[in-house]
Amino acid sequence: MSESGFTTYQEALEWVHGLLRFGQKPGLERVLWMLSRLDHPERRIPFIHVAGTNGKGSTCAYLNGILQAAGYSTGMFTSPYLVNFRERIRYNGEMISEEEFRIVASEIKPLAEECAETTSHGTPTEFEVITVIAIQYFARVARPAVVIWETGLGGRLDSTNVVHPLLSIITNIGMDHMDVLGHTIEEIAREKAGIIKPGVPVVTCEKSQDALAVIEQVARDKKSTLYVLDRDFSVEQLAEQLGSQTIRFESQHRRHASEYVLPLNGVHQPKNAAAALAALDVLRNFYAYMAEEEEIARGLQQTSWPGRLEVVSQHPLIFLDGAHNTEGMQALTQSLEQLLPAGKSIELLVSSLADKPLVQMAEAARPLVAMADRLTLTQFDFPRAATVEKLQDAYVTAGVEPQKLFLAPDWRSYVTMWKEQAEADDCLVICGSLYFIAQVRAFLYNVEEAGE
């Protein structure tokens, strides 16, 4: 690194990735310290803050598509990435350029080092530094009309929770990351509801009464208006076919119901779209954002969010889905039961992270396994990936018939062989960790794999 900063993008990226060794440190003090040294760029742009266990990324993508179609410049910060690290920071749908990332990272590195050396806060983590890079990029370089801002893990102590947004969205609450967020649905809901700010409206699609009660209480305490699915807005799936589904959306802010086409499959996608549409209604009614019906419809229909029940081959049929927790596996099962004809020949290829509730995920997958001809367990190159033996133990414990279980430690060889032998009407469902899906997707599209 020169005195003026990093000389290449790769150099900057390696520095950021090198911070992974400092792990996760819940808390806002390091990010706030760095932002204060930058004269608080987070105060210069409007944010929409999105938290939840599942559906955050799709909700962000729908809202981003609508606002772009309506003529607004947008920033979007999401995680994880699938192929290229720069996917996490986007302006008008385009990744931050390598040069822009290099320049902004060069600004942030001295601050991160100063924070580590001169304060009691310690060294910032990788995600904290990425958060500050994104804020500085949006505030000083891109300057979008609005930034759609996804939490990383949780909400209350998540690095992203340093902004004061126009609006907060909590998609849903599930039993994930329990080692950090809590061991009950109420504890996890309280952490997610930590993004709610005084007087800032909130939209949620949460259905659990226990979780919803916590969100309602926090909203009351913060004097924030709360909009709840099936109370203040509703959504209904009217039809679905491979590659699209039609929904009907109603809201207290609209005189009439509206019908829209979504390009993403899955029983959970209508709720994700509803969260985005309810958020849009709040933006239109209270912040004077303008969006015509044609623009809303076009924005939704043009939305892309890879790795979520994504069809990467039609003949034979290959799905990729990041069903990385129990709720995700349940949604995948329900979606395929609805989408595929009875008796369809299906094979499953599954991999997961070792720190996930593997037995519960296996139990949730049992109806899907029952639909399938065979289930193949695999592993992938990632520090936290589960071994095939650990996955096998989980599925056997969950009651899956041993004769249906197969092990394939080398997933690339398995996928290659399956494609060579498959008939045109065969179906392969590849699911599990998004880190795994990222590697498979890169392999299938013959591009450089995630991690660069």
Side-chain angles (χ1 to χ4, degrees):
M1 179 173 170
S2 68
E3 289 184 7
S4 59
F6 295 107
T7 55
T8 65
Y9 163 71
Q10 196 62 37
E11 196 179 315
L13 183 65
E14 287 172 4
W15 170 68
V16 171
H17 283 333
L19 297 170
L20 266 173
R21 68 183 185 275
F22 296 104
Q24 296 174 345
K25 302 178 186 175
L28 308 180
E29 59 274 11
R30 288 169 296 279
V31 174
L32 286 171
W33 187 90
M34 288 186 284
L35 291 174
S36 70
R37 300 280 289 165
L38 293 167
D39 196 24
H40 289 289
E42 78 280 8
R43 298 175 183 173
R44 292 172 168 79
I45 37 177
F47 290 87
I48 299 166
H49 204 180
V50 184
T53 301
N54 292 303
K56 299 189 298 294
S58 300
T59 298
C60 289
Y62 286 129
L63 192 51
N64 183 73
I66 293 168
L67 289 171
Q68 272 195 254
Y72 292 96
S73 59
T74 62
M76 190 161 71
F77 179 69
T78 58
S79 59
Y81 61 99
L82 277 184
V83 176
N84 192 303
F85 181 85
R86 294 179 292 118
E87 294 170 26
R88 303 177 75 161
I89 304 171
R90 293 178 181 266
Y91 174 68
N92 284 341
E94 298 295 323
M95 297 185 292
I96 182 174
S97 72
E98 291 187 358
E99 179 65 6
E100 288 164 336
F101 185 89
R102 182 193 69 80
I103 291 170
V104 180
S106 295
E107 288 183 69
I108 305 308
K109 185 176 189 285
L111 297 181
E113 292 173 341
E114 186 180 350
C115 181
E117 294 166 4
T118 66
T119 76
S120 61
H121 304 320
T123 304
T125 66
E126 184 199 44
F127 188 71
E128 289 170 342
V129 165
I130 296 167
T131 300
V132 176
I133 289 173
I135 289 173
Q136 182 75 339
Y137 168 71
F138 289 135
R140 300 284 169 79
V141 181
R143 298 181 183 177
V146 63
V147 174
I148 301 162
W149 190 242
E150 182 189 341
T151 60
L153 193 157
R156 182 176 66 92
L157 297 177
D158 187 76
S159 305
T160 63
N161 202 27
V162 293
V163 304
H164 193 92
L166 300 176
L167 168 70
S168 302
I169 301 173
I170 300 173
T171 57
N172 53 44
I173 309 296
M175 301 298 287
D176 202 4
H177 300 295
M178 293 180 287
D179 55 325
V180 177
L181 303 181
H183 294 278
T184 68
I185 198 76
E186 293 88 350
E187 288 174 343
I188 296 173
R190 194 163 286 107
E191 290 300 314
K192 303 282 187 187
I195 69 166
I196 298 174
K197 302 294 191 302
V200 174
V202 191
V203 168
T204 186
C205 289
E206 179 52 46
K207 300 296 293 177
S208 159
Q209 288 306 306
D210 292 336
L212 190 56
V214 173
I215 297 171
E216 288 173 332
Q217 184 59 57
V218 174
R220 279 195 298 271
D221 293 344
K222 298 290 180 71
K223 295 181 170 54
S224 300
T225 305
L226 178 65
Y227 299 93
V228 180
L229 178 68
D230 292 335
R231 188 188 74 186
D232 306 298
F233 62 98
S234 64
V235 67
E236 177 187 3
Q237 184 191 65
L238 300 180
E240 182 176 26
Q241 59 186 12
L242 206 59
S244 74
Q245 57 181 309
T246 305
I247 63 168
R248 176 185 290 121
F249 177 78
E250 294 187 71
S251 163
Q252 65 181 39
H253 296 298
R254 300 182 179 211
R255 291 182 181 178
H256 308 290
S258 302
E259 291 187 10
Y260 302 109
V261 175
L262 307 180
L264 306 182
N265 285 120
V267 294
H268 47 298
Q269 289 300 344
K271 283 203 298 185
N272 296 336
L277 289 164
L280 178 72
D281 284 354
V282 173
L283 293 173
R284 290 199 295 180
N285 281 280
F286 299 105
Y287 296 106
Y289 280 74
M290 304 296 291
E292 301 296 333
E293 272 298 300
E294 181 274 330
E295 294 167 336
I296 298 170
R298 178 158 43 89
L300 287 173
Q301 199 158 4
Q302 292 176 352
T303 297
S304 171
W305 200 237
R308 281 73 172 181
L309 208 61
E310 179 186 11
V311 176
V312 293
S313 170
Q314 288 275 3
H315 304 288
L317 185 58
I318 303 178
F319 289 100
L320 298 183
D321 190 72
H324 61 282
N325 53 30
T326 305
E327 290 80 10
M329 195 62 81
Q330 289 170 341
L332 172 61
T333 300
Q334 294 166 12
S335 299
L336 291 175
E337 285 176 336
Q338 181 171 298
L339 198 57
L340 298 179
K344 176 77 171 176
S345 175
I346 303 173
E347 290 197 31
L348 303 175
L349 180 65
V350 179
S351 193
S352 299
L353 297 181
D355 54 6
K356 293 293 183 178
L358 298 178
V359 175
Q360 292 94 317
M361 290 173 64
E363 289 171 344
R366 283 182 62 182
L368 181 56
V369 175
M371 290 171 59
D373 297 325
R374 60 187 282 165
L375 164 64
T376 301
L377 303 174
T378 191
Q379 59 198 40
F380 63 107
D381 185 20
F382 191 76
R384 291 157 46 211
T387 63
V388 288
E389 292 81 11
K390 186 165 185 175
L391 290 170
Q392 182 182 38
D393 289 345
Y395 276 83
V396 170
T397 301
V400 174
E401 299 169 1
Q403 62 267 29
K404 266 201 170 182
L405 279 174
F406 296 84
L407 306 185
D410 183 352
W411 62 264
R412 290 176 183 82
S413 296
Y414 171 90
V415 171
T416 300
M417 186 173 64
W418 187 91
K419 288 177 67 180
E420 289 172 352
Q421 298 177 354
E423 302 290 338
D425 59 348
D426 285 346
C427 176
L428 175 63
V429 178
I430 305 174
C431 62
S433 166
L434 274 168
Y435 297 103
F436 171 55
I437 295 304
Q439 292 183 17
V440 175
R441 193 173 189 275
F443 176 74
L444 290 172
Y445 283 110
N446 195 28
V447 298
E448 190 175 358
E449 290 187 12
E452 300 176 277

